[in-house]
Amino acid sequence: MDSFIVAALALCSLTAPAYGDKGTSKARSCSDIRQFYSGKGFSLDVVPVSEISGEHLRICPQGYTCCTSDMEDNLAILSRREMEGLLKEAGRALQTSLTGQYKAFDGYFLELLNHSAVSLQDMFTSTWGSLYSQNAQVFSDLYMELRHYYRGSNINLEEVLNDFWAKLLEKLFYQANKQYYIGEDYLECVSKQIETLRPFGDSPRELKMRVTRTFVAARSFVQGLVVSGEVVRKVSQVQLSQECMRAMMKMTYCPHCRGMASARPCANYCSNVMKGCLANQADLNTEWRHLAETMIQVAHNFEGPYGVDVVVLSLPYRISEAMFTMMENIETINNKLFQKCGDLRDGGTSSTGVDDIMKRGKITVEDKLGPSSSKLSKLVSDVTVRLRNMQPYWVSLPNDLCSDRIATGTGAEDKCWNGINRARYLPEVMGDGLASQINNPEVDIDITKPDMIIRQQIMQLKIMTHRLKNALNGNDVDFQDTSDDVSGSGSGMCADDMCSRGPRLVVPITERPKHYPHPPENGRAVKASAKQNLPCVTVYLLSLLILLLRR
């Protein structure tokens, strides 16, 4: 009997440390989290001095903890704010890249257009003399309209070119027949004959084809860069959900509450959290890739014999060539016009000045491309690299955001934070996109309710891709003012603080977290401690009673 009592006491002494209530021994200090919590800008009034029981926790494992409910709520809101800051920072980096490409191409194209206009003025002054100087407005109006079109104005480019040739026909006919009195009505009749008369030969048709294809492509391309930047900005400002906030809190700050401040998330655990939080963003991937690929195709068409630099810089030569064609055939053209519009009566000046020009012969005004072509090649090469690099942005974002926070090194898979403790993370990694998150173990998502802001941006990507595909075929598109439906601010490249729509409200936690099938280990220990200590105490008291009775 004595041996039974001794054995029972020995068993009790061995099991007491394993199952005893931690509250009977000295609780661990919360000094580390007090320092951490204060460093985040929070008051220490709610922070315990030593660990407390964690039944009140709604996100973190409910073992012994240094976090109160208020601390958990504050850290949850902080985790969401920090993640939204990281998303904006990543978005700004991509916006900066797109802005750089936009400025480079936009600056180059406008430089080409300005250079072409200056060349025409210089060369036409020496070639056409007073005939040009007296009608310079016709040419300056053409370049002004081309700039407005490129900048996105609602202008029909074919009508601009048709009007230019019609006005030029009127001016040249007037200059070539200054010995006659020519009224406005007669000139209007002259301009209406341009289609049947074809005074400029094939130049108007060829120029229309080249200019239209070039300017439609250039305008669509820069607009694509603007729209891309706006999509990134708007999507990067989408507020993360309550479910994501809880998941971020559990992954980021629950280790601090458990006294495991140095524990870093398991790689697959972080991936599931990020893929769940950014599920809607990942759905941009398909249309984002389509847009980037189409822009690359458009950019490659900027080079070659009909590239933007060749077309823009050769405008003075093409126009001058057309003018010489008309003047060489002015007698035949006059006869046909007299038949259509009636004879003219004398009453003008004696000299037209055209004969002197024709005697001098044609003067070639074709621009030498030289370094411009090599500069364009570099621009196309740079933008192609940038566009290819940005294609996987939305699906690689979760891994990019995880790369700096996950546990690495020897034994990392077994010693990382898995949301419950330091141990291996067992669930599989989810796929990309909203539909793939139906069984995400970390973020509770209703896959039937996509984010509407992001869906709108997906539609904008589709619209822009359609416009670019039209541009590839040389087809003009109805370019609406995109300040409302696409580019928001109109620039697409504004800084985050300038584009903000005002402060956002931070919504406190109002829902209880979902219950996991496997409760935290420490939670089980806390709840079981009283029951497990009772048999040991009972054995100890019975043993003492038996010894007393035997005496």
Side-chain angles (χ1 to χ4, degrees), residues 165-184:
W165 291 114
K167 289 178 182 178
L168 188 59
L169 172 59
E170 291 179 15
K171 299 295 183 182
L172 293 182
F173 177 80
Y174 179 82
Q175 292 289 337
N177 296 279
K178 294 184 74 173
Q179 69 272 27
Y180 300 112
Y181 171 79
I182 306 175
E184 291 293 329

Side-chain angles (χ1 to χ4, degrees), residues 259-476:
M260 302 178 186
S262 62
R264 300 178 68 119
C266 302
N268 288 349
Y269 173 41
C270 185
S271 291
N272 275 344
V273 171
M274 293 301 184
K275 283 176 181 283
C277 286
L278 303 176
N280 282 282
Q281 286 83 338
D283 282 346
L284 286 157
N285 178 59
T286 300
E287 294 305 327
W288 182 260
R289 285 180 175 273
H290 286 167
L291 177 61
E293 193 60 44
T294 310
M295 289 178 67
I296 290 171
Q297 294 177 38
V298 173
H300 283 310
N301 285 351
F302 289 152
E303 297 181 286
Y306 301 106
V308 294
D309 49 1
V310 176
V311 171
V312 175
L313 293 178
S314 64
L315 274 175
Y317 169 73
R318 300 295 175 190
I319 294 171
S320 182
E321 189 177 47
M323 291 167 64
F324 271 113
T325 298
M326 177 177 171
M327 290 306 174
E328 286 175 340
N329 299 286
I330 191 63
E331 290 187 9
T332 302
I333 292 170
N334 277 347
N335 291 334
K336 291 181 178 180
L337 286 173
F338 294 158
Q339 291 177 6
K340 293 286 184 179
C341 300
D343 292 329
L344 293 171
R345 58 185 177 85
D346 294 337
T349 59
S350 58
S351 174
T352 66
V354 174
D355 292 339
D356 294 336
I357 295 171
M358 300 308 296
K359 287 177 183 177
R360 284 183 285 171
K362 291 185 181 181
I363 298 177
T364 301
V365 295
E366 188 169 12
D367 199 289
K368 296 181 179 179
L369 303 180
S372 296
S373 184
S374 61
K375 184 176 180 180
L376 178 62
S377 296
K378 186 178 185 307
L379 281 174
V380 171
S381 176
D382 287 347
V383 78
T384 299
V385 171
R386 297 291 179 89
L387 290 172
R388 289 202 189 283
N389 289 342
M390 83 175 195
Q391 281 184 302
Y393 176 77
W394 297 110
V395 291
S396 63
L397 193 55
N399 288 333
D400 291 343
L401 293 174
C402 280
S403 61
D404 293 333
R405 65 175 68 212
I406 60 173
T408 56
T410 306
E413 291 185 358
D414 295 318
K415 297 179 181 179
C416 53
W417 174 252
N418 65 5
I420 303 296
N421 216 324
R422 282 182 184 267
R424 181 180 290 267
Y425 182 76
L426 299 178
E428 64 177 343
V429 177
M430 299 293 101
D432 299 312
L434 189 61
S436 300
Q437 308 308 312
I438 189 169
N439 293 316
N440 192 315
E442 308 306 332
V443 188
D444 190 10
I445 300 176
D446 185 351
I447 65 170
T448 66
K449 295 181 179 178
D451 184 276
M452 295 313 297
I453 293 178
I454 292 178
R455 296 294 138 174
Q456 289 170 1
Q457 298 313 304
I458 291 174
M459 182 56 63
Q460 298 304 336
L461 293 175
K462 287 183 178 180
I463 293 171
M464 194 64 244
T465 301
H466 176 70
R467 289 173 174 172
L468 284 160
K469 286 182 177 178
N470 272 298
L472 278 173
N473 298 321
N475 297 327
D476 201 356

Side-chain angles (χ1 to χ4, degrees), residues 208-249:
K208 181 189 296 184
M209 181 186 68
R210 292 186 181 189
V211 169
T212 299
R213 182 178 291 272
T214 296
F215 277 77
V216 168
R219 182 168 82 159
S220 299
F221 183 76
V222 294
Q223 189 68 25
L225 292 171
V226 171
V227 169
S228 300
E230 275 300 291
V231 168
V232 174
R233 183 182 68 81
K234 290 184 178 181
V235 173
S236 297
Q237 290 181 345
V238 171
Q239 191 176 51
L240 299 176
S241 66
Q242 291 278 46
E243 291 77 12
C244 176
M245 178 172 67
R246 285 192 285 268
M248 288 301 306
M249 165 63 190

Side-chain angles (χ1 to χ4, degrees), residues 18 24 158 160 183 373 471:
T24 61
E158 287 196 12
V160 167
S373 184

